[in-house]
Coordinates of all heavy atoms in Angstrom, one line a residue:
M16 N 4.1 -76.7 81.5 CA 4.3 -75.4 82.2 C 5.4 -74.6 81.5 O 6.4 -75.1 81.2 CB 4.6 -75.6 83.6 CG 4.9 -74.3 84.3 SD 5.6 -74.4 86.0 CE 4.6 -75.6 86.8
R17 N 5.1 -73.3 81.3 CA 6.1 -72.5 80.7 C 6.7 -71.6 81.8 O 6.0 -71.0 82.6 CB 5.5 -71.5 79.6 CG 6.5 -70.6 79.1 CD 6.2 -70.0 77.7 NE 6.2 -71.0 76.7 CZ 7.3 -71.5 76.0 NH1 8.5 -71.0 76.4 NH2 7.2 -72.4 75.1
I18 N 8.0 -71.5 81.8 CA 8.7 -70.7 82.7 C 9.2 -69.4 82.0 O 9.8 -69.5 80.9 CB 10.0 -71.4 83.3 CG1 9.5 -72.7 84.0 CG2 10.8 -70.5 84.2 CD1 10.7 -73.7 84.3
I19 N 8.9 -68.3 82.6 CA 9.3 -67.0 82.0 C 10.5 -66.5 82.9 O 10.3 -66.3 84.1 CB 8.2 -66.0 82.0 CG1 7.1 -66.6 81.2 CG2 8.7 -64.7 81.4 CD1 5.8 -65.7 81.2
L20 N 11.6 -66.3 82.3 CA 12.8 -65.9 83.0 C 13.4 -64.6 82.5 O 13.6 -64.3 81.3 CB 13.9 -67.0 82.7 CG 15.3 -66.9 83.3 CD1 15.2 -66.9 84.8 CD2 16.2 -68.0 82.8
D21 N 13.7 -63.7 83.5 CA 14.3 -62.4 83.2 C 15.8 -62.7 82.9 O 16.6 -62.9 83.8 CB 14.2 -61.5 84.4 CG 14.9 -60.2 84.3 OD1 15.4 -59.9 83.2 OD2 15.0 -59.4 85.3
A22 N 16.1 -62.7 81.6 CA 17.5 -63.0 81.2 C 18.5 -61.9 81.5 O 19.7 -62.2 81.5 CB 17.5 -63.3 79.7
M23 N 18.0 -60.8 81.9 CA 18.9 -59.6 82.2 C 19.2 -59.4 83.7 O 19.9 -58.6 84.1 CB 18.4 -58.4 81.6 CG 17.9 -58.5 80.1 SD 19.2 -59.2 79.0 CE 20.4 -58.0 79.0
G24 N 18.6 -60.3 84.5 CA 18.6 -60.1 85.9 C 19.6 -61.1 86.6 O 20.0 -62.1 86.1
G25 N 20.1 -60.7 87.7 CA 21.0 -61.5 88.5 C 22.5 -61.3 88.2 O 22.8 -60.6 87.2
D26 N 23.3 -62.0 89.0 CA 24.7 -61.9 88.7 C 25.1 -62.7 87.4 O 24.5 -63.7 87.1 CB 25.5 -62.6 89.9 CG 25.3 -61.8 91.2 OD1 25.1 -60.6 91.1 OD2 25.5 -62.5 92.3
N27 N 26.1 -62.2 86.7 CA 26.6 -62.8 85.5 C 25.5 -62.9 84.4 O 25.5 -63.8 83.6 CB 27.1 -64.2 85.8 CG 28.2 -64.1 86.8 OD1 29.2 -63.3 86.7 ND2 28.2 -65.0 87.8
A28 N 24.6 -61.9 84.4 CA 23.6 -61.9 83.3 C 24.1 -61.2 82.1 O 24.9 -60.3 82.2 CB 22.3 -61.1 83.9
P29 N 23.7 -61.6 80.9 CA 22.7 -62.6 80.6 C 23.3 -64.0 80.5 O 22.6 -65.0 80.2 CB 22.2 -62.1 79.3 CG 23.2 -61.4 78.6 CD 24.1 -60.8 79.8
L30 N 24.6 -64.2 80.7 CA 25.2 -65.5 80.5 C 24.6 -66.6 81.3 O 24.2 -67.7 80.8 CB 26.7 -65.4 80.7 CG 27.5 -66.7 80.6 CD1 27.4 -67.3 79.2 CD2 29.0 -66.6 81.0
A31 N 24.6 -66.4 82.6 CA 24.2 -67.4 83.6 C 22.7 -67.8 83.4 O 22.4 -69.0 83.2 CB 24.4 -67.0 85.0
P32 N 21.7 -66.8 83.2 CA 20.3 -67.2 83.1 C 20.1 -67.9 81.7 O 19.4 -68.9 81.6 CB 19.6 -65.9 83.2 CG 20.5 -64.9 83.7 CD 21.9 -65.4 83.5
V33 N 20.8 -67.4 80.7 CA 20.6 -68.0 79.3 C 21.1 -69.4 79.3 O 20.4 -70.3 78.8 CB 21.2 -67.1 78.2 CG1 21.2 -67.8 76.9 CG2 20.5 -65.7 78.2
M34 N 22.3 -69.6 79.7 CA 22.9 -71.0 79.7 C 22.2 -71.9 80.6 O 22.0 -73.1 80.3 CB 24.4 -70.9 79.9 CG 25.1 -70.1 78.8 SD 24.7 -70.6 77.1 CE 25.2 -72.3 77.0
G35 N 21.7 -71.4 81.7 CA 20.9 -72.2 82.6 C 19.6 -72.7 82.0 O 19.1 -73.8 82.2
A36 N 19.0 -71.7 81.3 CA 17.7 -72.1 80.6 C 17.9 -73.1 79.5 O 17.1 -74.1 79.4 CB 17.1 -70.8 80.0
V37 N 19.0 -73.0 78.8 CA 19.4 -74.0 77.8 C 19.5 -75.4 78.4 O 19.0 -76.4 77.9 CB 20.6 -73.6 77.0 CG1 21.1 -74.7 76.1 CG2 20.3 -72.3 76.1
Q38 N 20.3 -75.4 79.5 CA 20.5 -76.7 80.2 C 19.2 -77.3 80.7 O 19.0 -78.5 80.6 CB 21.5 -76.5 81.4 CG 22.1 -77.8 81.9 CD 22.9 -78.5 80.9 OE1 23.8 -77.9 80.3 NE2 22.8 -79.8 80.8
A39 N 18.3 -76.4 81.3 CA 17.0 -76.9 81.8 C 16.2 -77.5 80.7 O 15.5 -78.5 80.8 CB 16.3 -75.8 82.6
A40 N 16.2 -76.8 79.5 CA 15.4 -77.2 78.4 C 15.9 -78.6 77.9 O 15.1 -79.5 77.6 CB 15.4 -76.2 77.3
K41 N 17.2 -78.7 77.9 CA 17.9 -80.0 77.5 C 17.6 -81.1 78.5 O 17.2 -82.2 78.1 CB 19.3 -79.8 77.3 CG 20.1 -80.9 76.9 CD 21.6 -80.7 76.7 CE 22.4 -81.9 76.5 NZ 23.8 -81.7 76.6
D42 N 17.9 -80.9 79.7 CA 17.8 -81.9 80.8 C 16.4 -82.3 81.2 O 16.1 -83.5 81.5 CB 18.6 -81.5 82.0 CG 20.1 -81.5 81.8 OD1 20.6 -81.9 80.7 OD2 20.8 -81.0 82.7
F43 N 15.5 -81.3 81.2 CA 14.2 -81.5 81.7 C 13.0 -81.4 80.8 O 11.9 -81.5 81.1 CB 14.0 -80.7 83.0 CG 15.0 -80.9 84.0 CD1 15.9 -79.8 84.3 CD2 15.2 -82.1 84.7 CE1 16.9 -80.0 85.3 CE2 16.2 -82.2 85.7 CZ 17.1 -81.2 86.0
G44 N 13.4 -80.9 79.5 CA 12.3 -80.6 78.6 C 11.5 -79.4 79.0 O 10.3 -79.3 78.5
A45 N 12.1 -78.5 79.7 CA 11.4 -77.3 80.2 C 11.1 -76.4 79.0 O 11.8 -76.3 78.0 CB 12.2 -76.6 81.2
Q46 N 9.9 -75.7 79.1 CA 9.5 -74.7 78.1 C 9.9 -73.3 78.7 O 9.3 -73.0 79.7 CB 8.1 -74.8 77.8 CG 7.6 -76.1 77.2 CD 8.1 -76.3 75.8 OE1 8.0 -75.4 75.0 NE2 8.7 -77.4 75.6
I47 N 10.9 -72.6 78.2 CA 11.3 -71.4 78.9 C 11.3 -70.2 77.9 O 11.8 -70.3 76.7 CB 12.8 -71.6 79.4 CG1 12.8 -72.8 80.4 CG2 13.3 -70.3 80.0 CD1 14.2 -73.1 80.8
T48 N 10.7 -69.1 78.3 CA 10.8 -67.9 77.6 C 11.8 -67.0 78.3 O 11.6 -66.6 79.4 CB 9.4 -67.2 77.6 OG1 8.4 -68.1 77.0 CG2 9.4 -65.9 76.9
L49 N 12.8 -66.6 77.5 CA 13.8 -65.7 78.0 C 13.3 -64.2 77.6 O 13.1 -63.9 76.5 CB 15.2 -65.9 77.3 CG 15.8 -67.3 77.7 CD1 16.9 -67.6 76.7 CD2 16.2 -67.3 79.1
V50 N 13.2 -63.4 78.6 CA 12.8 -62.0 78.4 C 14.0 -61.1 78.7 O 14.7 -61.1 79.7 CB 11.7 -61.6 79.3 CG1 11.2 -60.2 79.1 CG2 10.5 -62.5 79.2
G51 N 14.3 -60.2 77.7 CA 15.4 -59.3 77.8 C 15.9 -58.7 76.4 O 15.1 -58.9 75.4
R52 N 17.0 -58.2 76.4 CA 17.6 -57.7 75.1 C 17.9 -58.8 74.2 O 18.9 -59.5 74.4 CB 18.8 -56.8 75.4 CG 18.4 -55.5 76.1 CD 19.5 -54.6 76.3 NE 19.1 -53.3 76.9 CZ 19.8 -52.6 77.6 NH1 21.1 -53.0 77.9 NH2 19.3 -51.5 78.1
E53 N 17.1 -59.0 73.1 CA 17.3 -60.2 72.3 C 18.7 -60.3 71.7 O 19.2 -61.4 71.6 CB 16.2 -60.1 71.2 CG 16.2 -61.4 70.3 CD 15.0 -61.4 69.3 OE1 14.2 -60.5 69.3 OE2 15.0 -62.4 68.6
E54 N 19.2 -59.2 71.3 CA 20.5 -59.2 70.7 C 21.6 -59.7 71.6 O 22.4 -60.5 71.2 CB 20.9 -57.8 70.2 CG 22.2 -57.7 69.5 CD 22.6 -56.3 69.0 OE1 21.8 -55.7 68.3 OE2 23.7 -55.8 69.3
Q55 N 21.5 -59.4 72.9 CA 22.5 -59.9 73.9 C 22.2 -61.3 74.2 O 23.2 -62.1 74.4 CB 22.4 -59.0 75.2 CG 23.0 -57.7 75.0 CD 22.8 -56.9 76.3 OE1 21.8 -56.8 76.9 NE2 24.0 -56.4 76.8
I56 N 21.0 -61.7 74.2 CA 20.7 -63.1 74.5 C 21.2 -64.0 73.3 O 21.8 -65.0 73.6 CB 19.1 -63.3 74.6 CG1 18.6 -62.6 75.9 CG2 18.8 -64.8 74.6 CD1 17.1 -62.5 76.1
R57 N 20.9 -63.6 72.1 CA 21.4 -64.4 71.0 C 22.9 -64.4 70.9 O 23.6 -65.4 70.5 CB 20.8 -63.9 69.7 CG 19.3 -64.2 69.6 CD 18.8 -63.9 68.2 NE 17.4 -64.1 68.1 CZ 16.8 -65.3 67.9 NH1 17.6 -66.4 67.7 NH2 15.5 -65.5 67.8
S58 N 23.6 -63.2 71.3 CA 25.0 -63.2 71.3 C 25.6 -64.2 72.3 O 26.6 -64.9 72.0 CB 25.4 -61.8 71.7 OG 26.9 -61.7 71.8
V59 N 25.0 -64.4 73.5 CA 25.4 -65.3 74.4 C 25.3 -66.7 73.9 O 26.2 -67.6 74.0 CB 24.6 -65.2 75.8 CG1 24.8 -66.4 76.6 CG2 25.0 -64.0 76.5
L60 N 24.2 -67.0 73.2 CA 24.0 -68.3 72.6 C 25.1 -68.6 71.5 O 25.7 -69.7 71.6 CB 22.6 -68.4 72.0 CG 21.4 -68.4 73.0 CD1 20.1 -68.2 72.2 CD2 21.4 -69.7 73.8
Q61 N 25.3 -67.6 70.7 CA 26.4 -67.8 69.6 C 27.7 -68.0 70.2 O 28.5 -68.8 69.7 CB 26.3 -66.6 68.6 CG 25.1 -66.7 67.7 CD 25.0 -65.5 66.8 OE1 25.6 -64.5 67.0 NE2 24.1 -65.6 65.8
E62 N 28.1 -67.2 71.2 CA 29.4 -67.4 71.9 C 29.6 -68.7 72.5 O 30.7 -69.1 72.7 CB 29.6 -66.3 72.9 CG 29.7 -64.9 72.4 CD 29.6 -63.8 73.4 OE1 29.5 -64.1 74.6 OE2 29.6 -62.6 73.0
N63 N 28.5 -69.4 72.7 CA 28.6 -70.7 73.3 C 28.3 -71.8 72.3 O 27.8 -72.9 72.7 CB 27.7 -70.8 74.6 CG 28.3 -70.1 75.7 OD1 29.1 -70.6 76.4 ND2 27.8 -68.8 75.9
G64 N 28.4 -71.5 71.0 CA 28.2 -72.5 70.0 C 26.8 -72.9 69.7 O 26.6 -73.9 69.1
I65 N 25.8 -72.0 70.0 CA 24.4 -72.4 69.7 C 23.9 -71.3 68.7 O 23.7 -70.2 69.0 CB 23.6 -72.3 71.0 CG1 24.1 -73.3 72.1 CG2 22.1 -72.6 70.7 CD1 23.6 -73.1 73.4
D66 N 23.7 -71.8 67.5 CA 23.3 -70.9 66.4 C 21.8 -70.8 66.2 O 21.3 -69.8 65.7 CB 24.0 -71.4 65.1 CG 25.5 -71.2 65.1 OD1 26.0 -70.2 65.7 OD2 26.2 -72.0 64.6
T67 N 21.1 -71.9 66.6 CA 19.7 -71.8 66.5 C 19.0 -72.0 67.9 O 19.6 -72.7 68.8 CB 19.1 -72.8 65.6 OG1 19.5 -74.1 66.0 CG2 19.6 -72.6 64.2
L68 N 17.9 -71.5 68.2 CA 17.3 -71.6 69.5 C 17.0 -73.1 69.8 O 16.4 -73.8 68.9 CB 15.9 -70.9 69.6 CG 16.0 -69.4 69.8 CD1 14.6 -68.7 69.8 CD2 16.8 -69.0 71.0
P69 N 17.4 -73.6 70.9 CA 17.1 -74.9 71.3 C 15.6 -75.2 71.4 O 14.8 -74.3 71.7 CB 17.8 -75.1 72.7 CG 18.8 -74.1 72.7 CD 18.2 -72.9 71.9
A70 N 15.1 -76.4 71.3 CA 13.8 -76.7 71.4 C 13.3 -76.3 72.9 O 14.0 -76.6 73.8 CB 13.6 -78.3 71.3
G71 N 12.2 -75.7 72.9 CA 11.7 -75.3 74.2 C 12.0 -73.9 74.7 O 11.5 -73.4 75.6
I72 N 12.9 -73.2 73.9 CA 13.4 -71.9 74.3 C 12.8 -70.9 73.3 O 12.9 -71.0 72.1 CB 14.9 -71.8 74.2 CG1 15.6 -72.8 75.2 CG2 15.4 -70.3 74.5 CD1 15.5 -72.4 76.6
T73 N 12.2 -69.8 73.8 CA 11.8 -68.7 73.0 C 12.3 -67.4 73.7 O 12.7 -67.4 74.9 CB 10.2 -68.6 73.0 OG1 9.7 -68.5 74.3 CG2 9.6 -69.8 72.3
I74 N 12.3 -66.4 72.9 CA 12.8 -65.1 73.3 C 11.8 -64.0 73.1 O 11.2 -63.9 72.1 CB 14.1 -64.6 72.6 CG1 15.2 -65.7 72.8 CG2 14.6 -63.2 73.0 CD1 16.4 -65.4 71.9
V75 N 11.6 -63.2 74.2 CA 10.7 -62.0 74.1 C 11.6 -60.8 74.3 O 12.2 -60.7 75.4 CB 9.5 -62.1 75.1 CG1 8.8 -60.8 75.1 CG2 8.6 -63.2 74.8
H76 N 11.7 -59.9 73.3 CA 12.5 -58.7 73.4 C 12.0 -57.7 74.4 O 10.8 -57.4 74.4 CB 12.7 -58.1 72.1 CG 13.5 -56.8 72.1 ND1 14.9 -56.9 72.3 CD2 13.2 -55.5 72.0 CE1 15.4 -55.7 72.4 NE2 14.4 -54.9 72.1
A77 N 12.8 -57.2 75.3 CA 12.5 -56.1 76.2 C 13.7 -55.2 76.2 O 14.8 -55.6 76.6 CB 12.2 -56.6 77.6
E78 N 13.5 -54.0 75.8 CA 14.7 -53.0 75.6 C 15.3 -52.6 76.9 O 16.5 -52.5 77.0 CB 14.3 -51.9 74.7 CG 15.4 -50.9 74.4 CD 16.5 -51.6 73.6 OE1 16.2 -52.5 72.7 OE2 17.7 -51.3 73.7
E79 N 14.4 -52.3 77.9 CA 15.0 -51.7 79.1 C 15.4 -52.7 80.1 O 14.9 -53.9 80.1 CB 13.9 -50.8 79.8 CG 13.6 -49.6 79.0 CD 12.5 -48.8 79.6 OE1 11.4 -49.2 79.6 OE2 12.8 -47.6 80.0
V80 N 16.4 -52.4 81.0 CA 16.9 -53.3 82.0 C 16.8 -52.6 83.3 O 17.0 -51.4 83.5 CB 18.4 -53.6 81.7 CG1 18.9 -54.5 82.8 CG2 18.5 -54.4 80.4
V81 N 16.3 -53.4 84.3 CA 16.2 -52.9 85.7 C 17.6 -53.0 86.4 O 18.2 -54.0 86.4 CB 15.1 -53.6 86.5 CG1 15.1 -53.1 87.9 CG2 13.8 -53.5 85.8
D82 N 18.0 -51.8 86.9 CA 19.3 -51.7 87.6 C 19.1 -52.0 89.0 O 18.0 -51.7 89.6 CB 19.9 -50.3 87.4 CG 21.2 -50.2 88.0 OD1 22.3 -50.5 87.3 OD2 21.3 -49.7 89.1
M83 N 20.1 -52.5 89.7 CA 20.0 -52.8 91.2 C 19.7 -51.5 92.0 O 19.2 -51.6 93.1 CB 21.2 -53.5 91.7 CG 22.4 -52.7 91.7 SD 23.9 -53.6 92.1 CE 23.7 -53.9 93.9
H84 N 19.9 -50.3 91.4 CA 19.7 -49.1 92.1 C 18.3 -48.5 91.8 O 17.9 -47.5 92.5 CB 20.7 -48.1 91.8 CG 22.1 -48.5 92.1 ND1 22.6 -48.8 93.4 CD2 23.2 -48.9 91.3 CE1 23.8 -49.2 93.4 NE2 24.2 -49.3 92.1
D85 N 17.6 -49.1 90.9 CA 16.2 -48.6 90.6 C 15.2 -48.9 91.7 O 15.3 -50.0 92.4 CB 15.7 -49.3 89.3 CG 16.4 -48.8 88.1 OD1 16.9 -47.7 88.1 OD2 16.4 -49.6 87.1
D86 N 14.3 -48.0 92.0 CA 13.3 -48.1 92.9 C 12.2 -49.1 92.4 O 11.7 -48.8 91.3 CB 12.6 -46.7 93.3 CG 11.5 -46.9 94.2 OD1 11.6 -47.5 95.3 OD2 10.4 -46.4 93.8
P87 N 11.9 -50.1 93.0 CA 10.9 -51.1 92.5 C 9.6 -50.5 92.0 O 9.1 -50.9 91.0 CB 10.7 -52.1 93.6 CG 12.0 -52.0 94.4 CD 12.4 -50.5 94.3
A88 N 9.1 -49.6 92.8 CA 7.8 -49.0 92.5 C 7.9 -48.2 91.2 O 7.0 -48.2 90.3 CB 7.3 -48.1 93.6
N89 N 9.0 -47.5 91.0 CA 9.2 -46.7 89.8 C 9.5 -47.6 88.6 O 9.1 -47.1 87.5 CB 10.4 -45.7 90.0 CG 10.0 -44.5 90.9 OD1 8.8 -44.2 90.9 ND2 10.9 -44.0 91.6
V90 N 10.1 -48.7 88.8 CA 10.3 -49.6 87.7 C 9.0 -50.0 87.0 O 8.9 -49.9 85.8 CB 11.0 -50.8 88.1 CG1 11.0 -51.9 87.0 CG2 12.5 -50.5 88.5
V91 N 8.0 -50.3 87.8 CA 6.8 -50.7 87.2 C 6.0 -49.6 86.5 O 5.4 -49.8 85.5 CB 5.8 -51.3 88.3 CG1 4.5 -51.7 87.8 CG2 6.5 -52.6 88.9
R92 N 6.2 -48.4 87.0 CA 5.5 -47.3 86.4 C 6.3 -46.6 85.2 O 5.7 -46.2 84.3 CB 5.4 -46.1 87.5 CG 4.2 -46.4 88.4 CD 3.9 -45.3 89.3 NE 4.2 -45.7 90.7 CZ 5.0 -45.2 91.6 NH1 5.6 -44.0 91.3 NH2 5.2 -45.7 92.8
K93 N 7.6 -46.7 85.3 CA 8.4 -45.9 84.3 C 9.2 -46.8 83.3 O 9.5 -46.3 82.2 CB 9.4 -45.0 85.0 CG 8.7 -43.9 85.8 CD 9.7 -43.0 86.6 CE 8.9 -41.9 87.3 NZ 9.9 -41.1 88.1
K94 N 9.5 -48.0 83.7 CA 10.2 -48.9 82.7 C 9.3 -49.9 82.2 O 9.5 -51.2 82.5 CB 11.5 -49.5 83.4 CG 12.6 -48.4 83.6 CD 13.9 -49.1 84.1 CE 15.0 -48.1 84.2 NZ 16.2 -48.7 84.5
K95 N 8.3 -49.5 81.4 CA 7.3 -50.5 81.0 C 7.9 -51.6 80.0 O 7.3 -52.6 79.8 CB 6.2 -49.7 80.2 CG 5.5 -48.7 81.1 CD 4.5 -49.3 82.0 CE 3.7 -48.3 82.7 NZ 3.0 -48.8 83.8
D96 N 9.0 -51.2 79.4 CA 9.6 -52.2 78.5 C 10.9 -52.8 79.1 O 11.8 -53.2 78.3 CB 10.0 -51.5 77.1 CG 10.3 -52.5 76.0 OD1 9.8 -53.7 76.0 OD2 11.2 -52.2 75.2
S97 N 10.9 -53.0 80.4 CA 12.0 -53.7 81.0 C 11.7 -55.2 81.1 O 10.6 -55.7 81.0 CB 12.2 -53.2 82.4 OG 11.1 -53.6 83.3
S98 N 12.8 -56.0 81.2 CA 12.6 -57.4 81.2 C 11.8 -57.9 82.4 O 11.1 -58.9 82.3 CB 14.0 -58.0 81.3 OG 14.8 -57.5 82.3
M99 N 11.9 -57.2 83.5 CA 11.0 -57.6 84.7 C 9.6 -57.3 84.5 O 8.7 -58.1 84.9 CB 11.5 -56.9 86.0 CG 12.8 -57.4 86.5 SD 13.3 -56.7 88.0 CE 12.2 -57.3 89.1
V100 N 9.2 -56.1 83.9 CA 7.9 -55.8 83.7 C 7.2 -56.6 82.6 O 6.1 -57.1 82.7 CB 7.7 -54.3 83.4 CG1 6.3 -53.9 83.1 CG2 8.2 -53.5 84.6
V101 N 8.0 -56.8 81.5 CA 7.4 -57.6 80.4 C 7.1 -59.0 80.8 O 6.2 -59.6 80.6 CB 8.3 -57.5 79.2 CG1 7.9 -58.5 78.1 CG2 8.4 -56.2 78.6

């Protein structure tokens, strides 16, 4: 099973979701796709001593980010390249 994770969502993003995904891949062999701004995701990995993607982790780039103030219906219609929509 592949898990698709919005790396730009939640508190402490993208650090918490990215590092959580790395830990899940390591501990449970999970196949995880991180969706979000690739440059920021890779920066988090590098800042934590990870230079290459761990086994089971892939990244899908999405330029836009959904803000907590965005209207959910408008996000789907207007932010087509957001991490949540992708």
Side-chain angles (χ1 to χ4, degrees):
M16 174 190 313
R17 176 157 294 278
I18 298 168
I19 300 173
L20 180 63
D21 176 7
M23 308 312 289
D26 294 338
N27 302 313
L30 175 64
V33 170
M34 295 311 296
V37 168
Q38 193 67 44
K41 177 183 173 187
D42 291 351
F43 305 111
Q46 301 291 311
I47 302 174
T48 298
L49 296 169
V50 181
R52 292 183 174 151
E53 185 170 2
E54 184 177 306
Q55 288 181 307
I56 294 169
R57 288 191 184 274
S58 177
V59 166
L60 292 169
Q61 288 178 344
E62 289 168 4
N63 286 278
I65 302 168
D66 293 323
T67 59
L68 283 178
I72 301 286
T73 57
I74 299 172
V75 173
H76 180 72
E78 186 60 36
E79 296 177 291
V80 174
V81 175
D82 184 86
M83 65 187 289
H84 302 291
D85 287 335
D86 176 53
N89 284 332
V90 166
V91 174
R92 282 186 244 129
K93 295 181 179 178
K94 288 191 172 184
K95 300 282 186 196
D96 192 33
S97 70
S98 51
M99 286 184 72
V100 174
V101 170

